[in-house]
Amino acid sequence: TVALVKTKVKDTDDIKSLGKVNSVHKFFGRYITFFVIGQIQTLVTVLGDLFFVGIQCRHPFLFWCASALTSLVFTLLMYSLTAALGNVGQAVAVVIMVIQVAGSGGSYPVDVLPQLFRSLCPFMPFHYGMDMIRETVGGMYGATYLRCALVLLGMCALFTVFGLLVYYPARRL
């Protein structure tokens, strides 16, 4: 989405007619587009998994909640990096996404990965999103679902703060 939809908001007459619009308004106003696209993709994927593929899911609603939260985290990560750092942020976001798939236990168990990936795994959102989804499919184990959800929400806060702090100063560059 960050490759297809512009993250920079231009000061046009339409925006000026709204009154005082600051960088926070611009940041979240444009992010809404990315959020909605991500949630539509999530809904299509979840419904496809449940009704087309026919996965056996013990908690379908929590499966959707976990997927929606994971989508929120990744759209916010990608958008924050791209909005704040432009093309450099977009490249960093793509590298982060590639590392996510390789190093979060998505392809191979984390224990058999090289040490670099094992070190990075606790900092990767994909790891927590997969754990939440695994809980909904295979059954709940303690408070793992809640713990992972709280970590992902914390990452959302971190990415938002990063995006807002860097968004305005980086625009001048």
Side-chain angles (χ1 to χ4, degrees):
T1 306
V2 294
L4 299 174
V5 179
K6 300 264 188 224
T7 56
K8 184 177 180 181
V9 178
K10 294 181 182 177
D11 288 326
T12 61
D13 291 334
D14 293 334
I15 291 192
K16 291 176 183 172
S17 69
L18 295 174
K20 185 172 170 69
V21 178
N22 61 29
S23 59
V24 174
H25 296 136
K26 292 177 183 178
F27 181 86
F28 285 113
R30 183 59 61 135
Y31 174 68
I32 290 171
T33 304
F34 290 83
F35 173 77
V36 169
I37 291 170
Q39 293 304 313
I40 290 170
Q41 290 172 333
T42 299
L43 187 60
V44 168
T45 303
V46 167
L47 292 176
D49 286 344
L50 293 173
F51 299 112
F52 182 70
V53 176
I55 66 167
Q56 296 177 0
C57 184
R58 295 183 61 111
H59 306 282
F61 178 72
L62 292 178
F63 177 68
W64 170 75
C65 290
S67 300
L69 180 58
T70 303
S71 173
L72 170 70
V73 170
F74 279 107
T75 56
L76 196 52
L77 168 65
M78 300 290 282
Y79 177 76
S80 293
L81 285 170
T82 305
L85 304 174
N87 290 336
V88 173
Q90 190 173 357
V92 169
V94 168
V95 169
I96 288 173
M97 294 303 284
V98 169
I99 292 172
Q100 291 284 320
V101 173
S104 295
S107 302
Y108 299 101
V110 176
D111 297 329
V112 300
L113 295 173
Q115 181 59 40
L116 172 67
F117 290 119
R118 282 185 270 157
S119 303
L120 292 175
C121 186
F123 305 103
M124 296 184 185
F126 194 60
H127 166 70
Y128 299 102
M130 283 191 329
D131 282 355
M132 286 179 71
I133 290 171
R134 188 177 302 118
E135 291 285 307
T136 64
V137 172
M140 298 292 181
Y141 182 75
T144 302
Y145 186 90
L146 180 61
R147 180 184 54 82
C148 291
L150 292 174
V151 169
L152 287 176
L153 288 172
M155 288 182 180
C156 282
L158 180 72
F159 300 146
T160 302
V161 168
F162 170 80
L164 289 173
L165 288 178
V166 179
Y167 179 76
Y168 186 70
R171 286 289 128 210
R172 292 185 213 161
L173 298 174

